[in-house]
């Protein structure tokens, strides 16, 4: 069966510091991968998605970037964090477009 | 046209009652409608989904009702339990477009 792992579960970072969040999927090949952000008590905002290695599409211009160095690895990065980057970051995968998306348990990011 | 509207924002139901959450959309090209359940501190989990070739889908206590002409779909939770207390998100998608999520409904089931 397929599983998705995100780490770390929680992270506290100072303003201006770099960021690297990692997501890996097991049990499937060539999945679509997604990064979402969820503000407290709010809905899901799609940040990036990828249909293959090295292929990244950005949905919202921002201080963040994404990379997919391997088929089942998706990384969310920032060179300098802003206070507004605080939130709950979720990684998800699917077998293709218009197919069920399956989420990891997220990373709670707090910027001080 | 890409929005999915969801109501109510919050819902309180007594144990054993029926919880009903409604969603509406404008884009007639949407052809996949999933519902997700999210507990605090966890990622959303796929609960049940429907495609527009059927008007209803039932899985255990959870039922999706779909009205294509009205462009609406709803989640019904029968015999609601305190363990169902969570935030529920509807979504819609179509080929060539990523999921569009509703803003969520916070459900509280009182014991």
């Amino acid at each position: 069966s397929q599983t998705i792992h995100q780490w770390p579960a929680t992270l506290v970072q100072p303003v201006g510091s770099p960021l690297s969040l990692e997501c890996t999927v097991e049990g499937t090949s060539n999945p679509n991968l997604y990064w979402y952000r969820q503000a407290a008590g709010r809905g899901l905002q799609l940040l990036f998605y990828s249909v293959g290695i090295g292929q990244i599409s950005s949905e919202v211009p921002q201080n963040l970037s994404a990379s997919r160095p391997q088929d089942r690895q998706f990384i969310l990065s920032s060179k300098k964090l802003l206070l507004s980057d605080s939130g709950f970051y979720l990684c998800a995968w699917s077998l293709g477009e218009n197919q069920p998306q399956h989420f990891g348990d997220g990373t709670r990011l707090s910027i001080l | 046209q890409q929005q999915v509207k969801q109501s109510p924002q919050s819902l309180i139901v007594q144990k054993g009652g029926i919880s009903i959450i409604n969603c509406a959309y404008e884009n007639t090209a949407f052809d996949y409608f999933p519902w997700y359940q999210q507990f605090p501190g966890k990622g959303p989990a796929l609960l049940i989904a429907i495609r527009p070739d059927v008007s209803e889908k039932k899985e255990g206590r959870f039922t999706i009702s779909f009205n294509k002409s009205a462009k609406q779909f709803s989640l019904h939770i029968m015999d609601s339990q305190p363990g169902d207390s969570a935030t529920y998100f509807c979504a819609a998608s179509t080929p060539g477009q990523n999921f569009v999520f509703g803003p969520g409904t916070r459900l509280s089931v009182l014991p």
Side-chain angles (χ1 to χ4, degrees), chain A residues 38 49 97-101, chain B residues 31 36 38 51 93 96 98:
Chain A
Q38 186 176 31
Y49 68 95
E97 65 177 13
N98 214 31
Q99 295 295 315
Q101 291 186 16
Chain B
D31 66 354
Y36 285 84
Q38 185 180 29
R51 295 196 186 266
S93 72
N98 287 307

Side-chain angles (χ1 to χ4, degrees), chain A residues 7-59:
Chain A
W7 65 92
T10 59
L11 187 61
V12 180
Q13 292 285 93
V15 170
S17 64
L19 172 73
S20 181
L21 301 181
E22 190 163 340
C23 170
T24 59
V25 178
E26 296 177 357
T28 188
S29 297
N30 196 31
N32 284 8
L33 297 173
Y34 309 85
W35 278 112
Y36 288 87
R37 178 168 57 202
Q38 186 176 31
R42 304 289 294 275
L44 298 159
Q45 179 188 32
L46 179 63
L47 302 176
F48 301 94
Y49 68 95
S50 171
V51 298
I53 296 174
Q55 301 178 60
I56 308 295
S57 297
S58 174
E59 287 291 300

